[in-house]
Amino acid sequence: MTHTPSESRANQGIQSRRFSVAPMMDWTDRHCRFFLRLLSQHALLYTEMVTTGALLHGDRARFLDHDASEHPLALQLGGSVPAELAACAKLAEDWGYDEVNLNVGCPSDRVQHNMIGACLMGHPALVADCVKAMRDAVGIAVTVKHRIGINGRDSYAELCDFVGQVAEAGCSSFTVHARIAILEGLSPKENREVPPLRYEVAAQLKRDFPALEVVLNGGIKTLEECRTHLQTFDGVMLGREAYHNPYLLAEVDRQLFGSERAAPSRGDVLRQLRPYIERHLAQGGAMHHITRHVLGLAQGFHGARRFRQVLSVDVHKSPAPLSVFDHAIELLGTH
């Protein structure tokens, strides 16, 4: 089932941001999100960042369509023109999204030139105007994902000024990537690794703004770490670890949300994914659009290398790719 603007809203709303999977370019597309939802019913999922220009002037359905099962689901926007962000937030609401999130964290040169991402941390009044315009346009939640600073504006006082101005504009939920962004000389990958993680800065922010929801992002790899951070923060957001080791999500509902639902086995997840793949193939899609997202499912499991080979190499050579997919399921057995 695909959500379109003509359909009635069937979303569940944001029950909790206690655990979420970060928006990641080229990774958290609709196929990835469908797969991740099979592992966790409660995790909040985010789209890739979509620019306002892409939505206002491009193929909206390509960026906004999603399966009803993906909820709770947030759309992340990149932009800095309040009226354009308001129009795109309205599109998100019309398409049934539960939240719209403004990207104030991406450090890439390409988005900086369009006044998108982390460079906006140097313009808190503009971000506040953007948030107010979006909040005035929609009834769904408007949130912000940001860094703890940028080079040249990385003091704690400046971070508080940023959060304070944006909060006054009506944002009550902030996802904090606990690193600064260095806007010149580092690639986006290096910006996820070189600036040191400073969880203590994010923790101080939560203490100084106790009424705000503060979700921690950056470098979190295990559910044990999640539980520790949840003693300080309102939520945790995992990025690359959730993608490269997705089976970690199978325990999220039980360990972090108190669910009594048994964790699905790896094989069960792929069996549930199979009808979705069949529909995608019937619509003219390619197997790798989906299977590229599941290669990490066998991470830490005996036979993981063979599993990845089957789904990334063998599947392209076979005239019957679903049979190859079935073989991948057999490799996982009941684990």
Side-chain angles (χ1 to χ4, degrees):
M1 177 183 174
T2 295
H3 269 220
T4 65
S6 61
E7 294 173 342
S8 61
R9 287 182 58 174
N11 60 28
Q12 305 166 8
I14 301 296
Q15 305 298 322
S16 172
R17 295 184 183 86
R18 186 171 174 82
F19 181 93
S20 56
V21 178
M24 292 176 281
M25 292 300 294
D26 195 43
W27 287 2
T28 50
D29 64 17
R30 59 182 302 181
H31 305 308
C32 175
R33 299 190 307 263
F34 185 94
F35 162 60
L36 295 178
R37 181 59 70 214
L38 297 175
L39 290 157
S40 169
Q41 295 179 342
H42 296 294
L44 171 61
L45 303 179
Y46 283 81
T47 67
E48 305 167 85
M49 183 189 74
V50 182
T51 65
T52 52
L55 281 188
L56 296 176
H57 309 297
D59 182 355
R60 292 175 184 173
R62 174 189 163 202
F63 296 108
L64 295 176
D65 276 356
H66 58 277
D67 192 272
S69 69
E70 293 172 41
H71 293 281
L73 179 63
L75 174 73
Q76 188 183 65
L77 292 174
S80 57
V81 178
E84 293 179 356
L85 283 164
C88 290
K90 189 67 173 69
L91 287 172
E93 185 174 51
D94 291 344
W95 243 270
Y97 284 83
D98 303 302
E99 171 189 312
V100 59
N101 177 269
L102 179 62
N103 183 319
V104 191
C106 181
S108 82
D109 292 339
R110 183 173 58 84
V111 300
Q112 282 184 59
H113 293 152
N114 294 308
M115 276 292 282
I116 294 172
C119 63
L120 288 173
M121 291 208 70
H123 305 274
L126 175 57
V127 176
D129 288 344
C130 291
V131 164
K132 185 179 186 307
M134 288 190 285
R135 278 185 50 83
D136 287 346
V138 298
I140 58 175
V142 175
T143 65
V144 171
K145 184 174 187 291
H146 62 94
R147 297 282 184 130
I148 58 172
I150 53 177
N151 53 309
R153 188 183 167 88
D154 58 3
S155 72
Y156 183 67
E158 287 166 317
L159 175 60
C160 289
D161 177 52
F162 172 83
V163 171
Q165 289 195 49
V166 176
E168 286 181 12
C171 181
S172 61
S173 182
F174 294 78
T175 297
V176 184
H177 185 161
R179 289 184 173 94
I180 69 165
I182 297 174
L183 300 183
E184 302 89 18
L186 292 186
S187 69
K189 180 179 186 295
E190 290 169 330
N191 256 301
R192 293 190 296 270
E193 299 167 352
V194 174
L197 281 163
R198 299 186 63 194
Y199 294 144
E200 73 280 3
V201 173
Q204 186 63 50
L205 197 66
K206 177 60 186 176
R207 286 192 292 271
D208 291 339
F209 293 89
L212 298 180
E213 181 178 63
V214 177
V215 176
L216 182 69
N217 172 233
I220 306 170
K221 295 185 179 298
T222 68
L223 295 187
E224 183 179 1
E225 291 174 50
C226 289
R227 288 194 298 272
T228 298
H229 289 307
L230 286 169
Q231 296 175 27
T232 303
F233 299 96
D234 301 296
V236 289
M237 174 183 278
L238 270 67
R240 273 144 181 80
E241 188 66 22
Y243 189 85
H244 291 307
N245 183 21
Y247 196 62
L248 172 122
L249 269 70
E251 283 291 331
V252 161
D253 292 356
R254 188 176 66 84
Q255 292 195 30
L256 302 185
F257 290 92
S259 172
E260 296 182 359
R261 171 180 175 253
S265 72
R266 293 172 174 86
D268 285 342
V269 169
L270 289 193
R271 278 184 279 273
Q272 291 178 64
L273 186 62
R274 194 183 193 280
Y276 180 85
I277 293 176
E278 288 186 85
R279 291 195 299 272
H280 183 64
L281 294 176
Q283 294 164 0
M287 174 78 87
H288 73 87
H289 293 161
I290 301 170
T291 53
R292 72 187 185 98
H293 297 302
V294 309
L295 299 181
L297 187 61
Q299 179 78 13
F301 173 75
H302 179 70
R305 183 176 179 182
R306 176 62 184 143
F307 174 81
R308 290 193 299 270
Q309 180 183 353
V310 167
L311 287 185
S312 62
V313 179
D314 297 4
V315 76
H316 298 299
K317 301 176 180 177
S318 172
L322 278 172
S323 296
V324 178
F325 185 78
D326 290 337
H327 177 52
I329 296 176
E330 291 172 5
L331 289 174
L332 294 179
T334 59
H335 297 277

